[in-house]
Amino acid sequence: MHRTTTAIALSLASLALTSSAYAEDAKHGQQLFAVCQACHTVQKGGGNSIGPNLFGVAGRKAASVAGFSYSAALANAKITWTNDKLKAWVTNPAKMVPGTRMTFAGFSDPAKAADIVAYLDTLK
């Protein structure tokens, strides 16, 4: 019985370590966002660039920033940017919305995608 208890305790400890390794880190996401800044601004009231300003993107309807010309695919997608939708988007925009004009391939590392979304969620 002692071996079983030890095995269960080790399994739970391992699970806890794995979960914390994927905890969303907004500070790390801000660093990773440097790649995104080639096309996007994030200042409150800031203008658009090659891509739309992303200040306040979390919770906002897709293709809703005034003055930005979106692809028909994104404009017709009827998406609200929940954190889950943002994670899917930053992981693979073209897969999520075929026909989007966003040329960035996405972050294949789910932890990096989660960190970027955590950062975007701070921009309110």
Side-chain angles (χ1 to χ4, degrees):
M1 182 90 156
H2 183 266
R3 286 184 185 172
T4 303
T5 304
T6 302
I8 291 171
L10 288 173
S11 293
L12 290 174
S14 174
L15 180 62
L17 289 174
T18 301
S19 296
S20 66
Y22 289 104
E24 295 158 349
D25 182 347
K27 282 188 98 67
H28 186 236
Q30 184 176 14
Q31 293 169 351
L32 293 169
F33 191 80
V35 171
C36 309
Q37 287 180 317
C39 298
H40 296 280
T41 60
V42 292
Q43 293 76 28
K44 183 177 183 175
N48 298 316
S49 186
I50 294 169
N53 182 305
L54 297 179
F55 186 87
V57 69
R60 165 170 95 199
K61 290 188 186 291
S64 65
V65 172
F68 188 79
S69 178
Y70 293 92
S71 67
L74 188 58
N76 294 324
K78 299 191 186 330
I79 295 169
T80 297
W81 292 122
T82 63
N83 285 358
D84 287 341
K85 295 283 187 190
L86 283 168
K87 284 177 197 172
W89 179 258
V90 300
T91 299
N92 191 335
K95 180 179 180 186
M96 183 175 175
V97 180
T100 182
R101 278 186 260 161
M102 186 158 151
T103 59
F104 181 65
F107 288 91
S108 59
D109 181 342
K112 287 181 180 179
D115 289 350
I116 289 171
V117 172
Y119 168 64
L120 291 172
D121 198 34
T122 69
L123 303 173
K124 297 178 181 184

